[in-house]
Amino acid sequence: MKRIALIFGVTGQDGSYLTRLLLKKGYIVHGVKRRSSSLNTSRIDDIYQEPFIKKKNFVLHYGDITDGTSIFDIIKKTKPNEIYNLAAQSHVAVSFKIPEYTSNADALGSLRILDSIIKINPKIKFYQAGSSEMYGKVQSFPQTEKTPFYPRSPYAVSKVYAHWITVNYRESYNLFACNGILFNHESPLRGETFVTKKIVKGLCRIKLKKQKKLYLGNIYAKRDWGHAEDYVEAMWKILQYKKPEDWVICTGKQYSVKQFINLVAKNLNLKLFWSGEGLNEKAYSEKNEKIIEIKKEYFRPAEVENLKGNAAKAKKHLKWKPTKNINALIKDMINFELKELSYE
Ligand code: NAP
Ligand code: GDD
């Protein structure tokens, strides 16, 4: 019997990598996409060209994580063995602008799926896309499954709700429901307004003289950045483990945004000269052109300064470890961007 997976958030960065992984493993994959006035399937359209996929094994359905009726109907119709909830308003800064919508999608969306599972088939396994943002103002270092949460944005507060409702349904209804607590993971398919993609794209365009300047916010925040391709493998492993548990997935290495900028510049052979402090900090090129400036509008009302995880539990029990370090990630992102720019 072929295994059936249902992915909420299939059109996103992780949805695209997870779909490819599951199809390669022989799953039938159903994905939920939102109706939008412009195309939102660019990250998954080329999957149909892949030699490993039979068209009928990958099926898309219209639905929305804020709409309980569509969730219930899709789960009932597709009869999945595994559900991956990747759907979210995933931008932390945007969550301060649309807090009510973010809570509806990111917190109650998980509840809606869990509640449909107990009504339709409590044997369905469930993966909740939890986030290192839940650690927020970090209470210990490095962060593990036991570190208390201290969320710092409507996004993170919503993810904490989704985390605990997943634990609660697991304990109350004996569901195979798991939380992945994933640290930042990036790729060529990363959304354009996240900082790594913004930096890689901006510096590639500056290098090719298609753009003059890049504007950023807090470049002293530190993150534990991995590659999305590695992290979707962890999601799958979490649902294959003998019992439902919660897992930290990270690299254990930390860089500041400024270090990330410098690594990208080095890879592009762009020399950067930094000067000034705070909002006046700037980076100049060899020809003394201002390339990077800091703008207040990119700062958040409350910041998460310092994330670094410890994935010892996943390494030991899931036999998972990251295969791509920060340099491999940056090279992958740069190569993709330069290829895209060559078509412009
Ligand atoms: P992403 O690229 O922003 O993708 C989010 C997906 O959710 C997209 O398919 C989006 O659809 C969909 N979506 C948003 N609102 C929806 C709604 N109301 N109904 C149905 N679908 C909706 O995010 P990602 O980086 O792939 O992350 C996947 C998940 O992991 C998210 O839940 C995110 O919060 C979480 N996470 C991400 C990271 C990371 O570093 N990437 C780390 C920890 C946790 P559209 O394409 O139509 O917008
Ligand atoms: N987006 C953005 N844009 N961030 C900037 C900028 C900028 O111009 N300048 C500095 N930053 C800083 C942010 O303030 C933050 O401290 C850091 O760069 C990373 O920002 P993002 O790339 O937007 O990611 P994030 O860490 O806030 O959230 C991502 O990772 C979470 C996991 O920890 C998202 O993918 C979340 O969905 C995910 O849960």
Side-chain angles (χ1 to χ4, degrees), residues 13 89-93 129-134 155 159 182-186 190 193-198 215-223 225 257 298-300 303-305 307:
Q13 169 190 256
Q89 189 301 92
S90 71
H91 203 285
V92 175
S131 164
S132 50
E133 276 291 302
M134 297 188 294
Y155 167 81
K159 286 286 181 181
L182 273 52
F183 283 62
N184 298 50
H185 45 280
E186 320 294 311
R190 187 54 145 153
T193 58
F194 295 94
V195 81
T196 56
K197 180 75 164 181
K198 200 172 154 185
Y215 296 98
L216 293 166
N218 175 13
I219 56 172
Y220 290 95
K222 294 181 194 142
R223 289 291 182 272
W225 278 295
V257 174
Y298 293 117
F299 283 74
R300 293 157 188 197
E303 177 62 285
V304 172
E305 297 286 354
L307 291 176

Side-chain angles (χ1 to χ4, degrees), residues 1-8 10 15 18-23 25-32 56-61 74-75 77-86 124-127 235-236 239-240:
M1 284 282 283
K2 272 193 176 285
R3 295 186 68 73
I4 301 172
L6 173 59
I7 304 176
F8 289 90
V10 73
L18 182 64
T19 301
R20 285 164 221 267
L21 178 82
L22 296 178
L23 287 169
K25 289 187 183 294
Y27 279 68
I28 292 173
V29 179
H30 293 275
V32 179
K56 66 178 176 30
N57 286 356
F58 182 37
V59 187
L60 292 175
H61 307 261
I74 293 167
I75 297 176
K77 185 168 147 196
T78 56
K79 297 187 176 57
N81 306 100
E82 297 169 12
I83 294 179
Y84 296 84
N85 179 27
L86 313 181
I124 299 170
K125 293 182 177 181
F126 175 71
Y127 173 85
M235 293 176 189
W236 176 75
L239 289 197
Q240 313 315 308

Side-chain angles (χ1 to χ4, degrees), residues 254-271:
Q254 188 192 57
Y255 299 85
S256 67
V257 174
K258 188 171 176 180
Q259 282 173 309
F260 189 91
I261 298 169
N262 286 331
L263 285 170
V264 175
K266 196 170 163 209
N267 265 277
L268 285 169
N269 219 3
L270 257 178
K271 284 213 171 75

Side-chain angles (χ1 to χ4, degrees), residues 132 135-141 143 147-148 150 152 304-308:
S132 50
Y135 297 122
K137 192 171 176 182
V138 294
Q139 301 295 293
S140 65
F141 199 81
Q143 296 85 51
T147 305
Y150 192 139
R152 297 270 283 167
V304 172
E305 297 286 354
N306 198 6
L307 291 176
K308 177 174 155 171

Side-chain angles (χ1 to χ4, degrees), residues 70-211:
S70 67
I71 293 173
F72 185 90
D73 287 348
I74 293 167
I75 297 176
K76 196 151 194 245
K77 185 168 147 196
T78 56
K79 297 187 176 57
N81 306 100
E82 297 169 12
I83 294 179
Y84 296 84
N85 179 27
L86 313 181
Q89 189 301 92
S90 71
H91 203 285
V92 175
V94 174
S95 80
F96 287 98
K97 306 284 181 204
I98 47 169
E100 190 179 327
Y101 172 75
T102 303
S103 307
N104 190 4
D106 299 10
L108 295 182
S110 310
L111 171 69
R112 292 184 185 102
I113 299 175
L114 285 162
D115 215 57
S116 295
I117 290 177
I118 59 168
K119 289 182 177 125
I120 296 169
N121 175 9
K123 288 207 164 59
I124 299 170
K125 293 182 177 181
F126 175 71
Y127 173 85
Q128 164 58 23
S131 164
S132 50
E133 276 291 302
M134 297 188 294
Y135 297 122
K137 192 171 176 182
V138 294
Q139 301 295 293
S140 65
F141 199 81
Q143 296 85 51
T144 70
E145 291 81 2
K146 295 203 169 77
T147 305
F149 299 140
Y150 192 139
R152 297 270 283 167
S153 63
Y155 167 81
V157 173
S158 307
K159 286 286 181 181
V160 171
Y161 174 90
H163 177 96
W164 282 112
I165 201 70
T166 301
V167 174
N168 179 253
Y169 269 54
R170 175 167 80 212
E171 293 175 354
S172 307
Y173 305 108
N174 204 21
L175 293 189
F176 198 109
C178 310
N179 289 293
I181 306 174
L182 273 52
F183 283 62
N184 298 50
H185 45 280
E186 320 294 311
S187 74
L189 302 185
R190 187 54 145 153
E192 309 266 322
T193 58
F194 295 94
V195 81
T196 56
K197 180 75 164 181
K198 200 172 154 185
I199 293 165
V200 171
K201 187 167 183 159
L203 291 185
C204 285
R205 289 179 64 84
I206 288 169
K207 171 87 185 169
L208 298 183
K209 307 218 175 307
K210 288 176 185 276
Q211 181 174 326

